Amino acid sequence: MLVASGTSAQTPKPWPAQTGIYFPQAPPLQKWRRSVGVVFTTTPPEITEEVRVSVPAIDFNIQRALSQKLYMTGRIQTQFVQSNLSVGLRWATPVTERLAVGAGYEVSGWFGALRIKDVFNSQAYGVQTFPSLSVGYRLTRDLQLTVRSEAIIDLYYRSQVGSLAVEYNRRDVNGVAFAAVLEQPFYNKRRVSVGVRMAYSNFNWQLWSLYDTFDRNLLYPQLIFGFIL
């Protein structure tokens, strides 16, 4: 007597979730996600003329899940004489096994002070917001690409040189920014973020002390590098 035996196709295993700071995906519940790295900002030639200066800033990110799709974010960038602290919320959801989308809103406060005894005494601070949309695509099991667009909105600005102060309190769209970031394995189960960000705006907090007189948008290229902890 012959017994027919059939075989069923095996369902492919879903791709494992990979740790990423920029990829639109919430951290696991009750878990923190962190990264530390450097962001290099290149000065526009309109401000520094023939000299192109690449200004590095220490960059620290932290994230915490509020639900499976909603998570809060925090970020500190500092160059010691000026620093930027931002907090926000992001929502992200998978569309397919490879594709994910997200939206976010961050509020950023920056402060800078430059004092040279008997020569120069200047300080400034301000508040900006960054609504954003992100699209992430998993190129392989380990390699993730994220593209993000941001609006840059000024809420408050104040600067002072000696006894002379300038202040405004208004909601203006200051510019836009676009970023593309790859996140991939590095060593010892660690991952890295490597990417570029192009900000097109009429102000950049890292260059407040130059007091440029250009009332038009300029391009600020940035190189992003971070270790995901």
Side-chain angles (χ1 to χ4, degrees), residues 170-214:
R170 59 184 182 228
R171 297 178 180 176
D172 287 338
V173 177
N174 183 30
V176 295
F178 299 94
V181 182
L182 284 171
E183 292 175 304
Q184 59 189 10
F186 188 63
Y187 75 96
N188 194 24
K189 297 184 179 180
R190 297 297 183 190
R191 295 174 61 82
V192 293
S193 303
V194 181
V196 294
R197 180 177 182 265
M198 310 296 284
Y200 185 67
S201 66
N202 61 17
F203 174 75
N204 186 290
W205 68 271
Q206 297 179 76
L207 305 175
W208 66 271
S209 60
L210 297 181
Y211 291 104
D212 67 87
T213 58
F214 294 97

Side-chain angles (χ1 to χ4, degrees), residues 120-133:
F120 194 72
N121 184 2
S122 178
Q123 63 181 20
Y125 53 90
V127 180
Q128 296 178 307
T129 64
F130 297 85
S132 65
L133 294 174

Side-chain angles (χ1 to χ4, degrees), residues 5 9 11 18 34 59 63 102 129 155 166 174 218:
S5 60
T11 303
Q18 300 292 349
R34 306 175 183 87
D59 184 28
Q63 300 176 353
T129 64
L155 298 183
V166 176
N174 183 30
L218 301 175

Side-chain angles (χ1 to χ4, degrees), residues 66-81:
L66 301 176
S67 70
Q68 291 184 347
K69 295 184 179 181
L70 183 67
Y71 55 109
M72 61 181 182
T73 65
R75 186 178 191 183
I76 298 174
Q77 296 182 75
T78 181
Q79 296 165 317
F80 302 106
V81 296

